[in-house]
């Protein structure tokens, strides 16, 4: 498949939106930037178009997709109702990195968008290019992250091309994304609402608006059907296995040394604070300061993808405080590591 490339400028943005909209309306798949990560979009009402997303990504068919719209009025075309809590969240955080799960009207969206569930996750992205092309297309667009399933999500057009060039109809290049991690997903079909995936809007921010919510970000069994992306399968992982090393600086350095003695080529992914106290190594990359967790979130996927361009056979990283967006950072690292930790208290 030939993949058309657009580089958005002020001079060509309207023409780009028209061309992308035409492809989406024709049942094709196009990747575009949002404020979270790049997404691969298709007409959410077209079963065959949505199937192309799953095929391009190699995504399990029971993993539901998030629907993106340009205007809140579009939601009424395919959801049964909007609970009062959801209305408050929409008013405060839309456009923005918050996906809200709502009860679905039957036969309004392609069944493979929701993996057969009676609910759907929807959001309005806060990115001028995403909003522009969605408005011109005038249709609800299903858009998971534009990467091969399981890999780190793309935060630039170049990342998308690495994974999906020749697999989709087009890629809209418009620089790097802002948040760098996927949207928060909250299920407003439940009372109290439940956060299914942490992301760019923190639990603290949500609770300040609607009161206490619960968290259901635990691992799922093979038999359970996920209500949101990122709940069931290993995600966000580079080729080399990852372990999260929980201990002091001396313990962390010892793990690197032991792995190298075993013949491993070790990649090291750490904060500025820890990097200062470790012995420098060829494949050590920094995420930024712990004082600025939003920087760590922004850089995480780009740094994980860096290791795929190196000969590393093992990656060690550190845990981060689960406060604010740090909760989302740890969710992604835990998924990427498959829950593998090396803890100082458990050293043999």
């Amino acid at each position: 498949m030939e993949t058309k490339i657009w580089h958005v400028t002020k001079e060509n943005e309207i023409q780009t939106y028209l061309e992308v909209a035409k492809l989406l309306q024709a049942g094709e798949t196009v990747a575009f930037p949002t404020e979270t990560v790049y997404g691969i979009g298709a007409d959410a009402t077209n079963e065959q178009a949505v199937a192309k997303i799953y095929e391009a990504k190699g995504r399990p068919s029971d993993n539901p997709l998030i629907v993106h719209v340009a205007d809140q009025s579009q939601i009424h075309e395919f959801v049964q109702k909007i609970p009062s809590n959801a209305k408050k969240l929409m008013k405060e955080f839309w456009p923005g990195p918050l996906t809200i799960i709502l009860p679905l009207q039957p036969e309004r969206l392609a069944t493979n968008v929701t993996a057969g569930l009676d609910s759907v996750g929807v959001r309005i992205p806060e990115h001028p290019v995403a909003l522009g092309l969605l408005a011109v297309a005038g249709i609800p667009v299903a858009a998971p992250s534009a990467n091969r399933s399981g890999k780190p999500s793309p935060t630039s057009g170049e990342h998308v091309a690495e994974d999906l060039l020749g697999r989709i109809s087009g890629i809209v290049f418009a620089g790097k994304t802002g948040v760098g991690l996927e949207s928060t997903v909250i299920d407003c079909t439940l009372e109290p609402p439940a956060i299914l995936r942490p992301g760019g809007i923190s639990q603290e921010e949500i609770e300040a608006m609607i009161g206490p919510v619960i968290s259901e970000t635990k691992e799922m069994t093979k038999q359970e059907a996920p209500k949101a992306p990122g709940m069931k399968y290993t995600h966000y992982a580079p080729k080399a296995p990852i372990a999260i090393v929980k201990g002091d600086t001396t313990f962390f350095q010892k793990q690197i040394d032991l792995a190298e003695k075993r013949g491993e080529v070790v990649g090291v992914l750490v904060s500025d604070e820890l990097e200062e106290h470790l012995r420098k190594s060829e494949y050590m990359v920094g995420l930024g300061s712990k004082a600025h967790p939003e920087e760590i979130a922004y850089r995480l996927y780009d740094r994980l993808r860096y290791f795929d361009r190196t000969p590393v056979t093992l990656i060690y990283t550190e845990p981060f405080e689960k406060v604010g967006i740090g909760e989302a950072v740890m969710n992604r690292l835990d998924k990427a590591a498959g829950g593998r930790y090396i803890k100082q208290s458990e050293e043999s």
Side-chain angles (χ1 to χ4, degrees):
M1 176 188 296
E2 182 178 353
T3 301
K4 182 175 176 59
I5 301 293
W6 298 269
H7 291 271
V8 179
T9 65
K10 289 184 178 180
E11 292 73 26
N12 72 7
E13 62 177 339
I14 300 301
Q15 183 60 34
T16 297
Y17 299 160
L18 289 169
E19 292 179 14
V20 171
K22 188 175 181 180
L23 280 174
L24 290 172
Q25 292 163 354
E28 298 299 331
T29 52
V30 179
F32 58 89
T34 76
E35 82 283 18
T36 58
V37 299
Y38 272 68
I40 170 177
D43 181 355
T45 68
N46 184 328
E47 196 97 12
Q48 292 180 329
V50 173
K52 293 177 182 178
I53 292 177
Y54 286 96
E55 182 180 0
K57 285 177 62 70
R59 183 185 178 97
S61 60
D62 68 342
N63 204 2
L65 307 178
I66 292 168
V67 174
H68 296 64
V69 295
D71 188 270
Q72 190 171 323
S73 62
Q74 293 175 270
I75 298 170
H76 298 282
E77 299 173 7
F78 56 87
V79 303
Q80 291 185 23
K81 62 179 180 179
I82 303 177
S84 59
N85 280 337
K87 290 178 181 177
K88 291 177 183 178
L89 294 173
M90 291 174 183
K91 184 176 180 180
E92 179 69 16
F93 298 117
W94 278 7
L98 181 68
T99 294
I100 302 175
I101 295 181
L102 299 168
L104 178 67
Q105 289 192 49
E107 300 180 359
R108 295 299 180 91
L109 297 177
T111 56
N112 50 355
V113 167
T114 63
L117 299 172
D118 59 1
S119 60
V120 62
V122 61
R123 82 180 187 100
I124 300 177
E126 189 180 18
H127 191 290
V129 171
L131 286 172
L133 68 87
L134 287 169
V136 174
I139 55 176
V141 173
S145 56
N147 56 292
R148 291 289 287 172
S149 188
K151 291 189 64 176
S153 298
T155 55
S156 70
E158 288 79 9
H159 291 165
V160 179
E162 286 174 6
D163 284 10
L164 299 180
L165 194 66
R167 294 178 177 271
I168 59 177
S169 296
I171 303 172
V172 179
F173 281 68
K176 292 188 175 182
T177 58
V179 178
L181 297 179
E182 298 83 356
S183 61
T184 303
V185 178
I186 185 165
D187 187 352
C188 284
T189 68
L190 303 176
E191 185 57 48
I195 293 177
L196 305 185
R197 181 181 72 186
I201 303 296
S202 69
Q203 181 170 337
E204 294 90 338
E205 291 174 294
I206 289 171
E207 292 185 330
M209 288 301 303
I210 63 172
V213 300
I214 59 177
S215 176
E216 292 192 350
T217 58
K218 64 184 186 302
E219 285 293 317
M220 303 185 67
T221 67
K222 291 182 179 180
Q223 289 73 34
E224 291 181 279
K227 293 188 74 174
M231 293 185 69
K232 185 173 182 180
Y233 300 95
T234 299
H235 286 273
Y236 324 118
K239 295 174 183 176
I242 298 176
I244 301 169
V245 180
K246 193 172 183 178
D248 60 26
T249 303
T250 301
F251 179 75
F252 199 109
Q253 184 65 61
K254 182 178 180 181
Q255 301 314 303
I256 297 172
D257 296 342
L258 288 171
E260 290 178 342
K261 286 181 180 178
R262 297 195 304 267
E264 302 277 9
V265 180
V266 182
V268 181
L269 181 67
V270 289
S271 64
D272 292 349
E273 289 83 355
L274 181 54
E275 184 177 8
E276 289 179 3
H277 296 95
L278 295 175
R279 188 178 66 251
K280 300 302 179 185
S281 61
E282 184 174 1
Y283 302 113
M284 179 182 292
V285 291
L287 282 169
S289 171
K290 287 185 175 181
H292 301 284
E294 71 281 355
E295 292 182 1
I296 292 172
Y298 174 74
R299 294 171 177 153
L300 179 61
Y301 289 147
D302 181 72
R303 300 299 193 264
L304 287 174
R305 281 179 169 267
Y306 156 78
F307 290 116
D308 282 349
R309 303 191 296 273
T310 72
V312 302
T313 58
L314 177 64
I315 300 166
Y316 283 151
T317 189
E318 65 180 302
F320 295 90
E321 189 176 6
K322 292 183 177 182
V323 176
I325 201 166
E327 178 76 26
V329 169
M330 282 309 300
N331 172 268
R332 304 315 190 266
L333 281 176
D334 187 76
K335 288 283 188 178
R340 182 187 178 196
Y341 284 76
I342 302 175
K343 299 180 182 180
Q344 188 166 4
S345 59
E346 298 175 2
E347 183 184 10
S348 55

